[in-house]
Amino acid sequence: NAGVTQTPKFRVLKTGQSMTLLCAQDMNHEYMYWYRQDPGMGLRLIHYSVGEGTTAKGEVPDGYNVSRLKKQNFLLGLESAAPSQTSVYFCASSWGLASSYEQYFGPGTRLTVT
Amino acid sequence: KQEVTQIPAALSVPEGENLVLNCSFTDSAIYNLQWFRQDPGKGLTSLLLIQSSQREQTSGRLNASLDKSSGRSTLYIAASQPGDSATYLCAAKETSGSRLTFGEGTQLTVNP
């Protein structure tokens, strides 16, 4: 099993450009999440999905959109990138909400917006 | 709003020492608490998960405890090794949804 994979690993964007980050998991998990990690801020939840075709806002959703067209994939889109979106983005997945279910994380995407 | 704090922010110890990392949370209504390890430039690796009904979990040299009433969790690392050097993060899962609230982590350095 590959677990949770993310593409790309690195990306540099100019202000105003758009891009899509792809997350894929092969564990048949229902729940998927997008986080961003910034120095001094820890990891913060951007959006999440509780199943195919569903999405929900997290703590810091502004400037991002997501889609979950297939159970195994969760896409994070930036329509008009801003320097404040420079961060490391992590995708995670889990079976569900039960207290015994861990979240499994991908390796991250390092995004720089100039 | 749940807040998770980890103290100290950084810790440096000699190899072989037993050590404790601390995690505190403000809202005791948690579903579980998860400890992660993060190596530089890498993703998060889950180490231990303690359900709200449990008091501790053990894996090898690691032992994590949970005291909901005081809003605290500790990660005990026995006989530390240089390979344990990493940032350790704790995260509390709220009962009202699927969100994990993370602390900022403790950066551990184990010196040979």
Side-chain angles (χ1 to χ4, degrees):
Chain A
N1 285 352
V4 180
T5 58
Q6 294 181 233
T7 52
K9 288 184 170 53
F10 304 93
R11 186 72 185 269
V12 178
L13 286 179
K14 294 184 178 179
T15 297
Q17 288 185 321
S18 63
M19 78 163 294
T20 300
L21 283 67
L22 171 64
C23 175
Q25 53 93 6
D26 61 1
M27 297 174 282
N28 202 33
H29 285 171
E30 288 293 334
Y31 285 61
M32 297 186 74
Y33 315 82
W34 277 107
Y35 294 88
R36 59 178 289 175
Q37 185 177 35
D38 303 290
M41 304 290 289
L43 277 91
R44 293 177 292 168
L45 183 65
I46 304 171
H47 286 281
Y48 65 100
S49 168
V50 300
E52 182 178 318
T54 74
T55 63
K57 294 181 180 180
E59 183 183 0
V60 288
D62 294 341
Y64 305 95
N65 57 74
V66 288
S67 64
R68 183 102 179 265
L69 298 180
K70 293 183 178 180
K71 186 177 184 179
Q72 63 268 33
N73 295 337
F74 196 28
L75 278 62
L76 178 70
L78 285 74
E79 291 186 346
S80 179
S84 61
Q85 294 177 306
T86 294
S87 187
V88 181
Y89 292 85
F90 289 100
C91 177
S93 69
S94 68
W95 282 109
L97 274 183
S99 61
S100 60
Y101 293 153
E102 300 173 54
Q103 287 192 17
Y104 295 86
F105 281 75
T109 295
R110 189 173 296 273
L111 175 65
T112 302
V113 183
T114 61
Chain B
K1 177 185 175 185
Q2 178 75 273
E3 293 182 3
V4 178
T5 304
Q6 292 185 249
I7 295 174
L11 181 64
S12 181
V13 301
E15 182 177 3
E17 190 163 300
N18 302 326
L19 58 100
V20 174
L21 306 180
N22 296 298
C23 171
S24 61
F25 46 94
T26 55
D27 186 350
S28 62
I30 61 170
Y31 227 15
N32 62 41
L33 190 131
Q34 202 167 349
W35 282 93
F36 296 89
R37 169 187 173 135
Q38 185 175 28
D39 293 288
K42 304 291 185 182
L44 281 69
T45 300
S46 179
L47 297 173
L48 289 165
L49 179 147
I50 313 174
Q51 298 181 56
S52 60
S53 58
Q54 298 174 326
R55 295 299 297 264
E56 65 178 333
Q57 282 287 331
T58 298
S59 176
R61 294 183 293 109
L62 305 180
N63 176 275
S65 67
L66 176 65
D67 184 343
K68 285 178 55 179
S69 62
S70 66
R72 293 184 179 182
S73 176
T74 61
L75 179 67
Y76 174 83
I77 302 177
S80 59
Q81 303 171 356
D84 294 331
S85 297
T87 296
Y88 291 80
L89 298 158
C90 68
K93 185 173 183 180
E94 60 185 24
T95 56
S96 59
S98 58
R99 172 179 160 180
L100 278 179
T101 301
F102 282 83
E104 291 189 38
T106 294
Q107 185 174 358
L108 173 66
T109 302
V110 181
N111 301 300

